[in-house]
Structure formats: structure tokens, C-alpha cells
Amino acid sequence: MFELIFILVFVATLLVTGITMLSVFLATGFAFAIMLLLGMVGAVIKLIPWLIVIAIGIWFFKNYVHGHR
């Protein structure tokens, strides 16, 4: 949600300052790409504890539950 608010405020600021529409579209696309990338990085950082728990669970299952055949 923060990313969307940032992009809307960014576009409004560009429009108020009197920059050409082409520049506004290019800057908006660039800002959207950066915010999308940073949002995905933030989601991965939030998921790291769960990924570690899943990896430990798989390791435990392979080594102790599912005996060697």
C-alpha cells in the first residue's frame, strides 16, 4: 500500500511542477518498477523465517522420519 501511495504522490508532484507528460510517464514507469522490486524484496524478507522453518522440517523429515531404505 505504501508503494501505491508513493507513486501517486510522486506523479502528482511531477504534474504540479509542470514537467512534460512524456517525462511524467517515464518517471512513473521507473518509480513503479523500483517500488515493485523493493516490494518483492520486502516480501521475501518477511518470508525468510518461514522458509527457514520449512527447510529445517524437510531436513528433519529426511534424516529422522523417513528412514534409510
Side-chain angles (χ1 to χ4, degrees):
M1 190 65 187
F2 175 74
E3 292 88 358
L4 181 63
I5 293 171
F6 171 79
I7 290 176
L8 291 175
V9 170
F10 182 64
V11 169
T13 304
L14 288 176
L15 289 174
V16 169
T17 56
I19 298 177
T20 63
M21 286 304 286
L22 179 63
S23 299
V24 170
F25 290 143
L26 290 174
T28 304
F30 183 71
F32 182 75
I34 295 297
M35 288 291 117
L36 184 68
L37 179 68
L38 292 177
M40 286 190 285
V41 168
V44 167
I45 290 173
K46 277 185 165 182
L47 290 175
I48 283 177
W50 289 107
L51 295 173
I52 292 171
V53 167
I54 290 169
I56 290 172
I58 290 171
W59 173 80
F60 183 79
F61 182 78
K62 282 185 177 180
N63 288 327
Y64 295 107
V65 176
H66 183 61
H68 299 289
R69 288 187 176 184

